[in-house]
Amino acid sequence: MVKKLSGVGKGSAEWFTSVGNEHSQIVSFVLTCEESTAMLGPMCRGLMERFRLANQPVPKILYLDRGCCRAQGPTAVETLFQPWVDSGMVVRLDIFHWIHRFDAAIRTDSHSKYAAFKSALAGAVLAYNRGDLELLIKGVRARDPARLGSLSDEDVVRSHMSRDQMRHHVRRLTIGPQETFRLIHQAIEELKGPAGLDESGVSLFKTPGMIDLIQKKFVYNIETDSVAYCDGH
C-alpha cells in the first residue's frame, strides 16, 4: 500500500516500519523512503521520549523480524535504541520468524509433512495459558450448559472453540528452553526417518546433514536462554 501512493506523495515512501507492544497494539510507526538508521532515528527517539515522559520502565525485550544478531558489533536497532540497551533491554528475533528459519532445511513447503513439522515447532516453543483457557471453556459452556455441561474440556476445545477465540482470549507462553530443546530435537529425529516421507517416499528435509546444521544453529543456542531467541549467533 505504501508503494501505491500517488500525487504529491508519490515516491516519497517505500517502507512502513512499526513498533508494537505486548498486546499487538501499534504504539508508533513511520513511513520512510528507505529503511536506514537515519530515517528511523526520529521515530525511535520519539518513542523513548514518550516512555520517559510517561514515567514508564524500559522494555525488557525488543523483538525483531530480522537483523538482531551481533556478528560484527552492535546491531542497527541496538544503536537506534542505545539508551534502552544501556538500561538492560535485549534485542531478539521474534518466535514466528525464528521458527521460519528452519525452512532453509526443508525441501519444499508443499511437502505433506511440512504443516506437521511447523506445528511441532510451534508446540515446542509455545503453550496456552491454562488460566485463560479455563476461563474461555467456562464461557463457552455457559452459552449452552444443557448440551455442553457433560462434555470434557478437551471436547469443548476441539469441537466448540474457534481459532479466533483461542487467539483473542488465550495468551501463549514459552515453555522453557530445556523443554523446547528436547521437543524440537525429538520432532526432527522422528521426521528424519519414515515419518518424514510423503506418499512418494520423498523426505521433508533436503538432507539429514542440513537439518542437523540448522538445528545446531537455531536450537542448541537456546538451551540456556530462558527469555528470548536469537538468529543463530
Side-chain angles (χ1 to χ4, degrees), residues 160-201:
H160 299 279
M161 284 188 190
S162 67
R163 290 185 177 180
D164 283 343
Q165 285 177 312
M166 295 290 286
R167 183 169 64 249
H168 287 113
H169 301 293
V170 184
R171 289 169 291 180
R172 302 292 292 274
L173 307 172
T174 53
I175 64 176
Q178 286 75 30
E179 184 66 4
T180 291
F181 175 88
R182 185 187 69 81
L183 292 174
I184 291 180
H185 180 73
Q186 178 180 304
I188 288 175
E189 289 303 308
E190 183 173 353
L191 291 171
K192 282 164 67 176
L197 304 179
D198 65 9
E199 297 78 3
S200 301

Side-chain angles (χ1 to χ4, degrees), residues 192-231:
K192 282 164 67 176
L197 304 179
D198 65 9
E199 297 78 3
S200 301
V202 178
S203 174
L204 170 66
F205 304 126
K206 293 176 180 178
T207 66
M210 177 66 79
I211 188 60
D212 286 343
L213 179 63
I214 295 297
Q215 182 179 198
K216 181 178 180 180
K217 183 177 183 181
F218 295 117
V219 180
Y220 290 171
N221 66 322
I222 71 170
E223 193 173 9
T224 59
D225 185 356
S226 61
V227 294
Y229 297 84
C230 73
D231 206 359

